[in-house]
């Protein structure tokens, strides 16, 4: 599951425009539990060696967005820059049960090296939404997957995330942004133009 070759297996006429809930419930939860995903189109990708403009052909591309599974890591440096967390997170909720199933984290790509204490580099228009399971789902996913793998496995599949990467454009029409679902927090985040505005929102 999640083989890199899956980016070549998208059926003709297939469009991949999942909601936040669908990404977490139908893909990430099943990944954590070692259950098959249908369609199996999102590849595994070790994100951080790659700059965002290098994702084409490596991640699942749909319009101007790229999707992939990656391992959770505090090291977000790439060859030419780094992903900076904006300190903004949003709950992903199951609409039928009103239960929180995941967390959506916001990051921006900077060219250059990060400085100690934050800052450094040149901010770009590349945006990442990183989806992870909520703590309760991570624990249950770990329990289920360990039973399938055997207790001696050193891989903790609850540490997987799904990343959605795109380059922000001036226009915010559905045609320009690929029909991406925007929550209220998305709109606030995308309206911020610099770090000062972002820091003032806490």
């Amino acid at each position: 599951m999640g083989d890199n070759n899956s980016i070549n297996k998208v059926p003709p006429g297939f469009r991949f425009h999942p909601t936040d809930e669908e990404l977490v419930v139908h893909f990430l939860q099943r990944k954590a539990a070692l259950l098959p995903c249908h369609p199996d189109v999102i590849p595994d990708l070790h994100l951080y060696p790659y700059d965002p403009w290098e994702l084409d052909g490596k991640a699942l591309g749909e319009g101007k967005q790229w999707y992939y599974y990656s391992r959770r890591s505090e090291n977000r440096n790439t060859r030419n820059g780094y992903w900076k967390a904006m300190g903004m997170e949003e709950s992903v909720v199951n609409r039928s049960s009103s239960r929180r199933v995941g967390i959506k984290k916001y990051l921006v790509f900077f060219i250059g090296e990060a400085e100690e204490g934050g800052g450094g580099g040149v901010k770009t228009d590349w945006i990442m939404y990183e989806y992870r399971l909520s703590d309760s789902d991570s624990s249950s996913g770990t329990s289920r997957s360990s039973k399938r793998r055997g207790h001696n496995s050193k891989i903790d599949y609850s540490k997987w995330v799904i990343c959605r990467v795109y380059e922000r454009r001036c226009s915010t029409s559905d045609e320009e942004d690929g029909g991406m679902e925007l929550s209220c927090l998305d709109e606030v985040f995308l309206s911020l133009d610099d770090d000062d505005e972002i820091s003032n929102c806490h």
Side-chain angles (χ1 to χ4, degrees), residues 96-154:
S96 61
S97 66
S98 298
R99 182 174 63 91
R100 186 176 79 166
V101 292
I103 299 171
K104 178 180 179 180
K105 189 170 188 174
Y106 296 73
L107 303 97
V108 175
F109 188 74
F110 285 73
I111 296 175
E113 295 184 0
E115 299 176 357
E116 289 188 18
V122 178
K123 183 180 177 182
T124 73
D125 290 327
W126 286 98
I127 308 296
M128 180 197 296
Y129 296 159
E130 182 185 270
Y131 301 85
R132 69 180 187 271
L133 296 177
S134 61
D135 293 338
S136 58
D137 284 334
S138 294
S139 300
S140 60
T142 302
S143 176
R144 290 191 300 268
S145 58
S146 60
K147 291 179 181 178
R148 292 181 174 86
R149 299 191 308 269
H151 295 291
N152 294 327
S153 174
K154 297 181 180 179

Side-chain angles (χ1 to χ4, degrees), residues 51 53 75-84 108-124 195:
D51 296 315
W53 50 85
N75 176 18
R76 296 190 173 95
N77 296 324
T78 69
R79 293 188 182 96
N80 295 295
Y82 64 99
W83 288 99
K84 179 178 179 180
V108 175
F109 188 74
F110 285 73
I111 296 175
E113 295 184 0
E115 299 176 357
E116 289 188 18
V122 178
K123 183 180 177 182
T124 73
D195 293 337

